Amino acid sequence: MTGAGTTSPRARGRRDHQETPLWHRPSTPPSTIGPWLPEGELGNALAQGLGRVEASLATAVASDHAFVSEAAGHLMAAGGKRFRPMLALLAAQLGDADAPEVVDAAVVCELTHLATLYHDDVMDEASVRRGAPSANSRWTNSVAILTGDFLFARASDLLADLGPEAVRVQAKTFERLVTGQLRETVGAQAGEEPVDHYLSVLADKTGSLVATSARFGASFAGVDDALVAELTAFGEEVGVAFQLSDDLIDIVSEGASGKQPGTDLREGIATLPVLFALAGDDPAEARLRELVAGPVVDDAEHAEALALLRSSASLARATAVLEGYADRARARLTAVPEGPVREALSALCTYVVTRTS
């Protein structure tokens, strides 16, 4: 098994045949998840761990072929919150956080996440990701798809050194990621309640990999099985909350998230507040239902829909659902020993409800 302090034969072979490009060598992490991160000894340990993750990510996206390195490093260089590896590192603090497998496992989760972003941008026909041109708009859909596949391959290479159980967990996680994407693509089926469908898609598409991040961090640090199970469940709840907050930020923000407010409305993506509005019969939301029945492309109608949605009972209801996920995640923390790690995980639950970008 390999990690921050050891190198597999495959990884050594990659390093021997190319030097990591300079632009792939961040001296510090390009960004962190947010103000919930602790200070002091725990904060320093997490910062050091994230630095090792960044270095390993830079190696993982590098190739003998300059264009492959450029394409594979495109989204990594654009930054990101590193939510998943940070959660893995934090969960590992409940055991042997210096176990070499912890960093590799965190990198596997982030590579998997990055790979899905390349594919998502093709499916969504997105032009911007993390404030930079998406890979499909900068190059082509084919380049973006193949780059995502390349990152999946690199994640699998690292994963192979973590043992068959890790491979099995990752395979089941990937199955859920794909299943969630398929279910989102085809939409709710006959007899399936749209809100339930939406939330279960979020659990598959986002919650599953966040859950695996917490699971990998804790399990490779030698945390006992009962606590690993609670942290895994915590990860799923907080992962869904994180995605729900993304959806609400798209409505209430003034562009702080890096994309124009109401992008989902313009593209006809029905997030939770819109689903609540469409399913309701409140006369006060009659005009809102009319506007959001499909993509809102007219500028005047888009501004009207956004204003109505911001002041709607449906938005308040969706916010309550977000808070419910965060509260359930926080309730899982009773299994975590009191101390800085528990406090940081609790702060994360608050952050996903209150964040603005």
Side-chain angles (χ1 to χ4, degrees):
M1 295 189 180
T2 63
T6 58
T7 307
S8 71
R10 288 187 299 279
R12 280 197 298 270
R14 287 197 297 271
R15 291 185 179 93
D16 289 344
H17 285 89
Q18 88 280 320
E19 184 176 346
T20 302
L22 182 61
W23 61 273
H24 274 320
R25 297 182 201 158
S27 58
T28 58
S31 65
T32 56
I33 182 139
W36 66 275
L37 285 172
E39 297 181 351
E41 185 177 347
L42 177 57
N44 291 337
L46 292 173
Q48 291 170 10
L50 191 58
R52 292 192 290 271
V53 167
E54 291 294 327
S56 186
L57 280 170
T59 298
V61 302
S63 166
D64 293 337
H65 307 284
F67 177 75
V68 176
S69 290
E70 182 181 7
H74 178 65
L75 287 184
M76 195 197 95
K81 295 182 173 65
R82 303 294 190 255
F83 181 20
R84 292 151 189 83
M86 184 59 75
L87 183 56
L89 295 174
L90 185 55
Q93 289 292 323
L94 295 167
D96 179 9
D98 294 324
E101 298 87 358
V102 169
V103 166
D104 277 357
V107 172
V108 165
C109 293
E110 185 66 7
L111 286 173
T112 301
H113 172 58
L114 288 170
T116 65
L117 297 184
Y118 282 87
H119 289 179
D120 283 352
D121 285 346
V122 171
M123 297 186 68
D124 298 341
E125 300 181 351
S127 59
V128 176
R129 168 70 70 174
R130 294 178 173 175
S134 61
N136 50 298
S137 65
R138 180 174 176 179
W139 294 292
T140 64
N141 282 347
S142 294
V143 168
I145 292 168
L146 291 169
T147 302
D149 292 345
F150 174 84
L151 294 179
F152 282 130
R154 286 294 170 87
S156 297
D157 185 44
L158 283 173
L159 193 66
D161 290 326
L162 297 177
E165 180 58 25
V167 172
R168 185 173 294 107
V169 169
Q170 175 74 353
K172 291 183 181 298
T173 303
F174 192 52
E175 177 185 347
R176 288 189 65 190
L177 290 171
V178 174
T179 299
Q181 186 64 68
L182 281 169
R183 293 183 65 220
E184 180 181 64
T185 300
V186 302
Q189 300 298 287
E192 191 174 17
E193 206 282 318
V195 169
D196 291 342
H197 170 268
Y198 175 78
L199 293 173
S200 65
V201 163
L202 294 193
D204 283 342
K205 280 192 61 179
T206 303
S208 63
L209 185 56
V210 177
T212 295
S213 300
R215 178 176 181 171
F216 275 172
S219 60
F220 284 115
V223 173
D224 70 81
D225 291 345
L227 184 51
V228 169
E230 288 298 315
L231 289 166
T232 302
F234 169 89
E236 178 129 352
E237 299 278 12
V238 84
V240 174
F242 196 84
Q243 184 58 57
L244 283 171
S245 66
D246 259 0
D247 295 344
L248 299 189
I249 287 169
D250 182 63
I251 295 169
V252 303
S253 78
E254 297 295 338
S257 63
K259 65 178 184 178
Q260 289 300 309
T263 298
D264 291 334
L265 284 177
R266 201 175 289 279
E267 295 177 355
I269 298 172
T271 54
L272 191 59
V274 170
L275 290 173
F276 278 141
L278 291 173
D281 56 5
D282 184 350
E285 296 188 355
R287 175 58 177 162
L288 177 59
R289 284 193 293 276
E290 178 184 339
L291 288 168
V292 301
V296 189
V297 294
D298 177 81
D299 287 344
E301 290 187 343
H302 182 270
E304 181 184 4
L306 202 55
L308 288 171
L309 200 51
R310 285 170 173 170
S311 62
S312 69
S314 291
L315 179 62
R317 189 177 174 188
T319 302
V321 172
L322 162 61
E323 292 169 347
Y325 274 95
D327 287 345
R328 286 192 294 276
R330 186 179 284 107
R332 297 280 184 183
L333 299 180
T334 57
V336 178
E338 291 187 5
V341 175
R342 180 170 168 176
E343 291 169 5
L345 291 170
S346 181
L348 172 58
C349 296
T350 301
Y351 170 71
V352 297
V353 173
T354 59
R355 72 189 185 100
T356 58
S357 64

